[in-house]
Amino acid sequence: MAHEKFKSRGGFILASVGAAIGLGDSLRFPGLCAKYGGGTFLFIYIIALVLIGIPVLNAEIALGRKFRGGAPKCMASLNRKAEPFGWASCFNSLVVAFLYAAILGWIAVMLIKIIPLCKAAQTSTQAQTSAYFFEKVLGGGAVSPIVLGCIIAAWAVMFLCLRGGAKSLAATAKFTVIIPVVLLLFLAGRGLIYNNSGEALRALFVPDFSAFGNAELWLNALGQVFFSLSVMVGIMPAYGAYLPDGTFIFKDALIIAAADFFVSILSSVVLFTTLYGCGLKDLISQSGIATAFAVYPVAITLCFGAENVALNCIVGILFYASLAMMALQSSVSMVEAVVGPLADKFKTNKKKLAAVVCATGAAVCTVFATPFAAMALDLCDHFANYFNILLLGIAESIVIGRAAKKINLAGEINRYSGKLTMPVKPFVFSVKYLCPVALAVLFAWGVYHLIFAERGLYAGYPLWAQAVFGWAVSLTVFASGFVIGFLFKKRQKSLAVKLKNATM
């Protein structure tokens, strides 16, 4: 992987922005704004972004460039015993990529179905439109052929984006970053035309000061920073390894964080103005999946009035096209986070390895074309995208924090700098102390809710589902690091024997 580099600084920024911008920005972020008083959530999010998110983002990119490798190589370079955590981070990203690829397939289905859905809205109830995807598409049989076909197609497109390495990643990002932003701007413009758009914007941006004492608000805002920037998942070290010499990391990291935040705000404006304008403000949900596949279909069919089918179809196509591109870039980034380090470690052909991973992903994702899809996605997402990331983040931040001064990580960030530089002492304090403490608190809060909260232990889901899609996924991810270490040692021993025999 060390020989690959982005050809330009712009390519790195676009690819990194594409990796950071995902469904969490376009769907989950607006839902959290709605739940926690709009401007109140934004205010706390910005604080967490500045104090923790940006320092961690800089640290991961700098490590990737310094050691010219992904998360496993970076962790091993800091502490040989920490390499398994790097591998676990990569394989956790692969699990999340499976989820994103499944959602990408679902989005592709909605692109196909949105036109007949808009046509049927004149004779259908809102409840029927809302339930259409989960009841008619996913729940229509043992395996939904159209969903399965779209998921397989999604993996095929992902392979095309991966096969050229850094060059392909940068080229793909030109489309999957710029086009969705343009489409979201158009949709935001439509939303602002509604008579009650002012009410929607006040709900989004005006703080509810009574909510500042809500501890859950602070924790969710902090968690969204980690998830939104795609840190602690192995992506940014991998992209940092492709970074051209002469690039000022701190400045580029600020651009990445600002672009990510801008898309989150833009998506929130689209959601709030559209749902308020369509009289659906009470349907704003924290669940991104519910928003995309149950709430937005209703809003789209009402966007210009149920009788204006053609205009509603255009809005629907633009919306789901923007979601598809964001999901595609995020999925590709997550697969790259594991393919790159594996190819580098085992000296294998990266293109062939990407093909194997994508084919395996298509097979695994068959479950997301069955009636079990929503349950599997919910459980896998919470364990892989919450508990695993937090545990791996705690380990990573401790390792980085202990070595930050020794390897002069701040100096690596500030190489090629001008007047703007990363303040060294606040950076070290953030990475060494703030980050692991914040992640530990988030993890403890999550465990408490998993066991003791009203829903506890996913009441309503059968025990076998929790075991297969939850606990087994987490155990597999953490075991992967040690398995890779064992396989590499075995490979090294085999090569040593062959070399010895050849010299005798």
Side-chain angles (χ1 to χ4, degrees):
M1 190 168 75
H3 66 278
E4 285 192 75
K5 290 184 181 180
F6 290 110
K7 288 188 175 181
S8 67
R9 174 190 172 208
F12 163 72
I13 292 175
L14 274 177
S16 299
V17 168
I21 294 172
L23 300 180
D25 297 87
S26 57
L27 299 174
R28 187 173 185 268
F29 187 98
L32 290 172
C33 285
K35 182 177 181 180
Y36 295 112
T40 313
F41 176 81
L42 293 177
F43 179 76
I44 297 172
Y45 179 89
I46 291 171
I47 293 174
L49 178 66
V50 172
L51 295 181
I52 301 178
I54 291 175
V56 173
L57 177 64
N58 276 274
E60 292 198 338
I61 295 172
L63 285 171
R65 185 176 71 178
K66 183 177 182 65
F67 298 115
R68 290 298 175 192
K73 188 174 183 179
C74 291
M75 290 295 99
S77 299
L78 298 177
N79 186 325
R80 184 172 54 85
K81 295 181 180 179
E83 184 177 1
F85 293 108
W87 286 113
S89 179
C90 290
F91 278 92
N92 193 62
S93 286
L94 185 60
V95 172
V96 178
F98 289 168
L99 305 182
Y100 266 60
I103 296 172
L104 177 56
W106 292 6
I107 293 169
V109 173
M110 287 306 298
L111 270 170
I112 297 170
K113 295 289 188 179
I114 194 63
I115 293 178
L117 200 59
C118 288
K119 290 180 179 179
Q122 293 178 307
T123 56
S124 301
T125 65
Q126 290 185 12
Q128 289 173 325
T129 302
S130 178
Y132 175 78
F133 180 79
F134 291 105
E135 291 186 2
K136 300 296 184 181
V137 178
L138 279 179
V143 176
S144 170
I146 189 172
V147 174
L148 181 59
C150 286
I151 288 175
I152 293 173
W155 279 103
V157 174
M158 286 165 60
F159 171 70
L160 294 177
C161 297
L162 285 162
R163 63 179 182 173
K167 182 180 178 181
S168 291
L169 293 171
T172 302
K174 292 179 182 178
F175 298 96
T176 57
V177 173
I178 296 173
I179 293 177
V181 171
V182 172
L183 298 181
L184 287 174
L185 285 170
F186 173 83
L187 295 173
R190 169 64 188 107
L192 292 172
I193 297 175
Y194 287 115
N195 293 330
N196 60 349
S197 61
E199 180 188 356
L201 294 178
R202 285 192 294 273
L204 173 59
F205 291 111
V206 176
D208 176 7
F209 293 103
S210 64
F212 276 108
N214 186 344
E216 189 176 290
L217 160 63
W218 288 80
L219 291 170
N220 267 310
L222 178 61
Q224 181 63 21
V225 167
F226 288 107
F227 306 145
S228 184
L229 289 178
S230 292
V231 293
M232 305 298 183
V233 293
I235 294 174
M236 292 306 169
Y239 279 18
Y242 295 146
L243 196 60
D245 292 324
T247 303
F248 179 23
I249 290 175
F250 183 46
K251 185 176 181 180
D252 288 354
L254 290 178
I255 294 173
I256 294 166
D260 178 73
F261 183 63
F262 170 73
V263 172
S264 295
I265 294 296
L266 183 59
S267 299
S268 299
V269 170
V270 172
L271 179 69
F272 273 66
T273 57
T274 301
L275 295 192
Y276 270 71
C278 294
L280 303 172
K281 65 180 181 179
D282 294 334
L283 296 182
I284 298 178
S285 170
Q286 182 180 342
S287 169
I289 298 300
T291 299
F293 300 101
V295 177
Y296 260 120
V298 177
I300 289 167
T301 59
L302 298 174
C303 196
F304 285 94
E307 68 281 358
N308 292 314
V309 175
L311 291 177
N312 292 339
C313 288
I314 292 172
V315 170
I317 291 170
L318 294 180
F319 173 72
Y320 284 109
S322 66
L323 283 189
M325 292 182 193
M326 286 189 281
L328 173 63
Q329 184 66 40
S330 294
S331 303
V332 168
S333 302
M334 290 169 189
V335 176
E336 174 64 27
V338 67
V339 169
L342 279 175
D344 185 43
K345 186 77 170 179
F346 292 98
K347 310 301 179 187
T348 58
N349 183 284
K350 188 177 175 183
K351 184 176 178 180
K352 291 181 179 179
L353 182 60
V356 171
V357 170
C358 289
T360 303
V364 171
C365 285
T366 301
V367 68
F368 298 113
T370 70
F372 299 110
M375 176 178 65
L377 188 68
D378 189 19
L379 288 168
C380 282
D381 177 65
H382 201 68
F383 277 81
N385 225 0
Y386 186 85
F387 290 115
N388 290 4
I389 286 180
L390 293 179
L391 279 176
L392 291 167
I394 292 169
E396 178 183 311
S397 59
I398 290 173
V399 172
I400 295 175
R402 288 181 176 179
K405 283 187 176 181
K406 182 179 179 181
I407 66 171
N408 190 20
L409 189 56
E412 178 66 28
I413 293 170
N414 289 327
R415 282 176 64 194
Y416 314 110
S417 65
K419 294 181 180 179
L420 181 67
T421 58
M422 166 70 79
V424 177
K425 289 185 178 179
F427 165 73
V428 173
F429 179 78
S430 176
V431 175
K432 189 173 183 177
Y433 299 108
L434 281 182
C435 183
V437 170
L439 289 169
V441 171
L442 276 171
F443 182 77
W445 177 69
V447 171
Y448 170 80
H449 275 260
L450 183 69
I451 299 174
F452 299 109
E454 180 181 350
R455 193 176 176 203
L457 288 174
Y458 280 97
Y461 287 141
L463 186 60
W464 69 265
Q466 297 177 42
V468 172
F469 300 121
W471 302 108
V473 169
S474 288
L475 290 174
T476 301
V477 163
F478 283 96
S480 66
F482 297 95
V483 171
I484 291 295
F486 171 77
L487 291 175
F488 183 67
K489 287 181 180 178
K490 186 175 180 181
R491 179 184 175 91
Q492 281 187 317
K493 184 176 180 181
S494 176
L495 291 174
V497 171
K498 289 181 180 180
L499 181 62
K500 182 178 179 180
N501 293 335
T503 55
M504 289 179 64

